[in-house]
Amino acid sequence: GGVRTSLANSEHLAKLCAAQTCTQQEHPILDYDKDAGECVCSSHPCWNDDGLEHTCRGKFGFPFLTFFYNESKHLVCECSSFAHYGSTYISRDLCPGHRCVDPEHPVLDYDEDSGGCVCKSHPCWHDDGRRHTCSEKPDFPILKMRYEEVSGRLKKVCECGISFEKDQSFPIFDYDKPGADPDEADFEDDSEEF
């Protein structure tokens, strides 16, 4: 049997898109287009919010670009202290007005059984007793989960992906990291006394 992959944090989305992964920097988010009825690789919605490109560079302790859709399905972009890999389909089409702000349950998902929206812990935090993290990989801070289908069985794969800043030419600096204190500048005073 061949290998099929799916990349998502939402288990609902992973089921819809069991044969896809997104590897292009310009379109890193696996999502579902309900009008076309197919899975697509999309850019972060905050990279073009009616012509405005959002960024979280220099947002002390809040370096991660996140989004949700409010009750009227209007995009809201924010900077967060924890990484977020979201889906426009889940957030706008299935769960408008819902958002997950608890860092222990950051994943917005759709529960098919209850027909409701839920905030879940990251699926890579409970991988056969192992809690995956990307905190030691500043160039790849977004923890992602994908399924590979091998011989008819799904295998969970956890990996670290690029940040959701559109311009990847700037590294994430120490002062951008969660918990950074802007009042504790780490520099030497190079002023000279006369």
Side-chain angles (χ1 to χ4, degrees), residues 27-41:
H27 300 97
I29 297 177
L30 179 64
D31 217 338
Y32 183 76
D33 183 331
K34 72 174 189 166
D35 295 329
E38 64 184 16
C39 297
V40 296
C41 293

PDB file of all heavy atoms in Angstrom, residues 27-41:
ATOM      1  N   HIS A  27       1.542  28.972   1.034  1.00  0.00           N
ATOM      2  CA  HIS A  27       0.241  28.350   1.306  1.00  0.00           C
ATOM      3  C   HIS A  27       0.432  27.183   2.283  1.00  0.00           C
ATOM      4  O   HIS A  27       0.233  26.028   1.933  1.00  0.00           O
ATOM      5  CB  HIS A  27      -0.406  27.855   0.010  1.00  0.00           C
ATOM      6  CG  HIS A  27      -0.633  28.951  -0.970  1.00  0.00           C
ATOM      7  ND1 HIS A  27       0.244  29.214  -2.002  1.00  0.00           N
ATOM      8  CD2 HIS A  27      -1.623  29.874  -1.067  1.00  0.00           C
ATOM      9  CE1 HIS A  27      -0.205  30.246  -2.696  1.00  0.00           C
ATOM     10  NE2 HIS A  27      -1.336  30.662  -2.147  1.00  0.00           N
ATOM     11  N   PRO A  28       0.799  27.504   3.546  1.00  0.00           N
ATOM     12  CA  PRO A  28       1.167  26.436   4.481  1.00  0.00           C
ATOM     13  C   PRO A  28       0.007  25.771   5.223  1.00  0.00           C
ATOM     14  O   PRO A  28       0.211  24.790   5.926  1.00  0.00           O
ATOM     15  CB  PRO A  28       2.071  27.176   5.471  1.00  0.00           C
ATOM     16  CG  PRO A  28       1.483  28.555   5.519  1.00  0.00           C
ATOM     17  CD  PRO A  28       1.034  28.830   4.111  1.00  0.00           C
ATOM     18  N   ILE A  29      -1.204  26.291   5.091  1.00  0.00           N
ATOM     19  CA  ILE A  29      -2.320  25.807   5.908  1.00  0.00           C
ATOM     20  C   ILE A  29      -3.237  24.887   5.113  1.00  0.00           C
ATOM     21  O   ILE A  29      -3.797  25.276   4.091  1.00  0.00           O
ATOM     22  CB  ILE A  29      -3.123  26.993   6.476  1.00  0.00           C
ATOM     23  CG1 ILE A  29      -2.229  27.829   7.402  1.00  0.00           C
ATOM     24  CG2 ILE A  29      -4.363  26.503   7.207  1.00  0.00           C
ATOM     25  CD1 ILE A  29      -2.897  29.068   7.960  1.00  0.00           C
ATOM     26  N   LEU A  30      -3.386  23.671   5.612  1.00  0.00           N
ATOM     27  CA  LEU A  30      -4.332  22.737   5.020  1.00  0.00           C
ATOM     28  C   LEU A  30      -5.730  23.129   5.481  1.00  0.00           C
ATOM     29  O   LEU A  30      -5.976  23.319   6.674  1.00  0.00           O
ATOM     30  CB  LEU A  30      -4.032  21.304   5.460  1.00  0.00           C
ATOM     31  CG  LEU A  30      -4.983  20.230   4.928  1.00  0.00           C
ATOM     32  CD1 LEU A  30      -4.897  20.143   3.407  1.00  0.00           C
ATOM     33  CD2 LEU A  30      -4.654  18.886   5.556  1.00  0.00           C
ATOM     34  N   ASP A  31      -6.636  23.272   4.535  1.00  0.00           N
ATOM     35  CA  ASP A  31      -7.994  23.689   4.851  1.00  0.00           C
ATOM     36  C   ASP A  31      -8.969  22.996   3.908  1.00  0.00           C
ATOM     37  O   ASP A  31      -8.557  22.278   2.996  1.00  0.00           O
ATOM     38  CB  ASP A  31      -8.116  25.213   4.731  1.00  0.00           C
ATOM     39  CG  ASP A  31      -9.030  25.810   5.795  1.00  0.00           C
ATOM     40  OD1 ASP A  31      -9.870  25.078   6.344  1.00  0.00           O
ATOM     41  OD2 ASP A  31      -8.895  27.010   6.063  1.00  0.00           O
ATOM     42  N   TYR A  32     -10.239  23.226   4.134  1.00  0.00           N
ATOM     43  CA  TYR A  32     -11.276  22.618   3.314  1.00  0.00           C
ATOM     44  C   TYR A  32     -12.116  23.730   2.693  1.00  0.00           C
ATOM     45  O   TYR A  32     -12.556  24.648   3.390  1.00  0.00           O
ATOM     46  CB  TYR A  32     -12.158  21.713   4.186  1.00  0.00           C
ATOM     47  CG  TYR A  32     -13.228  20.988   3.415  1.00  0.00           C
ATOM     48  CD1 TYR A  32     -12.924  19.892   2.622  1.00  0.00           C
ATOM     49  CD2 TYR A  32     -14.556  21.395   3.481  1.00  0.00           C
ATOM     50  CE1 TYR A  32     -13.904  19.208   1.915  1.00  0.00           C
ATOM     51  CE2 TYR A  32     -15.547  20.728   2.779  1.00  0.00           C
ATOM     52  CZ  TYR A  32     -15.212  19.642   2.000  1.00  0.00           C
ATOM     53  OH  TYR A  32     -16.182  18.974   1.297  1.00  0.00           O
ATOM     54  N   ASP A  33     -12.315  23.668   1.400  1.00  0.00           N
ATOM     55  CA  ASP A  33     -13.154  24.629   0.679  1.00  0.00           C
ATOM     56  C   ASP A  33     -14.521  23.989   0.510  1.00  0.00           C
ATOM     57  O   ASP A  33     -14.695  23.088  -0.311  1.00  0.00           O
ATOM     58  CB  ASP A  33     -12.520  24.946  -0.678  1.00  0.00           C
ATOM     59  CG  ASP A  33     -13.290  25.982  -1.470  1.00  0.00           C
ATOM     60  OD1 ASP A  33     -14.528  26.087  -1.306  1.00  0.00           O
ATOM     61  OD2 ASP A  33     -12.653  26.681  -2.278  1.00  0.00           O
ATOM     62  N   LYS A  34     -15.496  24.450   1.313  1.00  0.00           N
ATOM     63  CA  LYS A  34     -16.810  23.796   1.295  1.00  0.00           C
ATOM     64  C   LYS A  34     -17.541  24.018  -0.023  1.00  0.00           C
ATOM     65  O   LYS A  34     -18.308  23.159  -0.460  1.00  0.00           O
ATOM     66  CB  LYS A  34     -17.668  24.243   2.477  1.00  0.00           C
ATOM     67  CG  LYS A  34     -18.187  25.650   2.399  1.00  0.00           C
ATOM     68  CD  LYS A  34     -19.141  25.939   3.542  1.00  0.00           C
ATOM     69  CE  LYS A  34     -19.796  27.288   3.292  1.00  0.00           C
ATOM     70  NZ  LYS A  34     -20.938  27.525   4.110  1.00  0.00           N
ATOM     71  N   ASP A  35     -17.307  25.164  -0.683  1.00  0.00           N
ATOM     72  CA  ASP A  35     -17.975  25.422  -1.964  1.00  0.00           C
ATOM     73  C   ASP A  35     -17.466  24.490  -3.057  1.00  0.00           C
ATOM     74  O   ASP A  35     -18.240  23.971  -3.854  1.00  0.00           O
ATOM     75  CB  ASP A  35     -17.786  26.885  -2.383  1.00  0.00           C
ATOM     76  CG  ASP A  35     -18.470  27.856  -1.421  1.00  0.00           C
ATOM     77  OD1 ASP A  35     -19.512  27.470  -0.832  1.00  0.00           O
ATOM     78  OD2 ASP A  35     -17.949  28.973  -1.246  1.00  0.00           O
ATOM     79  N   ALA A  36     -16.148  24.279  -3.073  1.00  0.00           N
ATOM     80  CA  ALA A  36     -15.555  23.383  -4.077  1.00  0.00           C
ATOM     81  C   ALA A  36     -15.644  21.922  -3.642  1.00  0.00           C
ATOM     82  O   ALA A  36     -15.495  21.023  -4.459  1.00  0.00           O
ATOM     83  CB  ALA A  36     -14.101  23.769  -4.325  1.00  0.00           C
ATOM     84  N   GLY A  37     -15.862  21.713  -2.329  1.00  0.00           N
ATOM     85  CA  GLY A  37     -15.948  20.350  -1.822  1.00  0.00           C
ATOM     86  C   GLY A  37     -14.625  19.618  -1.852  1.00  0.00           C
ATOM     87  O   GLY A  37     -14.584  18.409  -2.068  1.00  0.00           O
ATOM     88  N   GLU A  38     -13.521  20.372  -1.617  1.00  0.00           N
ATOM     89  CA  GLU A  38     -12.203  19.736  -1.656  1.00  0.00           C
ATOM     90  C   GLU A  38     -11.242  20.397  -0.689  1.00  0.00           C
ATOM     91  O   GLU A  38     -11.461  21.518  -0.231  1.00  0.00           O
ATOM     92  CB  GLU A  38     -11.625  19.801  -3.067  1.00  0.00           C
ATOM     93  CG  GLU A  38     -11.357  21.220  -3.551  1.00  0.00           C
ATOM     94  CD  GLU A  38     -10.884  21.272  -4.997  1.00  0.00           C
ATOM     95  OE1 GLU A  38     -11.031  20.286  -5.732  1.00  0.00           O
ATOM     96  OE2 GLU A  38     -10.358  22.328  -5.392  1.00  0.00           O
ATOM     97  N   CYS A  39     -10.171  19.691  -0.383  1.00  0.00           N
ATOM     98  CA  CYS A  39      -9.133  20.205   0.491  1.00  0.00           C
ATOM     99  C   CYS A  39      -8.191  21.085  -0.313  1.00  0.00           C
ATOM    100  O   CYS A  39      -7.927  20.812  -1.483  1.00  0.00           O
ATOM    101  CB  CYS A  39      -8.379  19.056   1.136  1.00  0.00           C
ATOM    102  SG  CYS A  39      -9.459  18.050   2.186  1.00  0.00           S
ATOM    103  N   VAL A  40      -7.710  22.151   0.327  1.00  0.00           N
ATOM    104  CA  VAL A  40      -6.841  23.113  -0.341  1.00  0.00           C
ATOM    105  C   VAL A  40      -5.711  23.522   0.598  1.00  0.00           C
ATOM    106  O   VAL A  40      -5.832  23.411   1.813  1.00  0.00           O
ATOM    107  CB  VAL A  40      -7.624  24.384  -0.770  1.00  0.00           C
ATOM    108  CG1 VAL A  40      -8.687  24.044  -1.798  1.00  0.00           C
ATOM    109  CG2 VAL A  40      -8.248  25.079   0.422  1.00  0.00           C
ATOM    110  N   CYS A  41      -4.633  23.991   0.012  1.00  0.00           N
ATOM    111  CA  CYS A  41      -3.557  24.612   0.773  1.00  0.00           C
ATOM    112  C   CYS A  41      -3.763  26.116   0.658  1.00  0.00           C
ATOM    113  O   CYS A  41      -3.861  26.646  -0.450  1.00  0.00           O
ATOM    114  CB  CYS A  41      -2.198  24.214   0.212  1.00  0.00           C
ATOM    115  SG  CYS A  41      -1.823  22.461   0.440  1.00  0.00           S
TER     116      CYS A  41
END
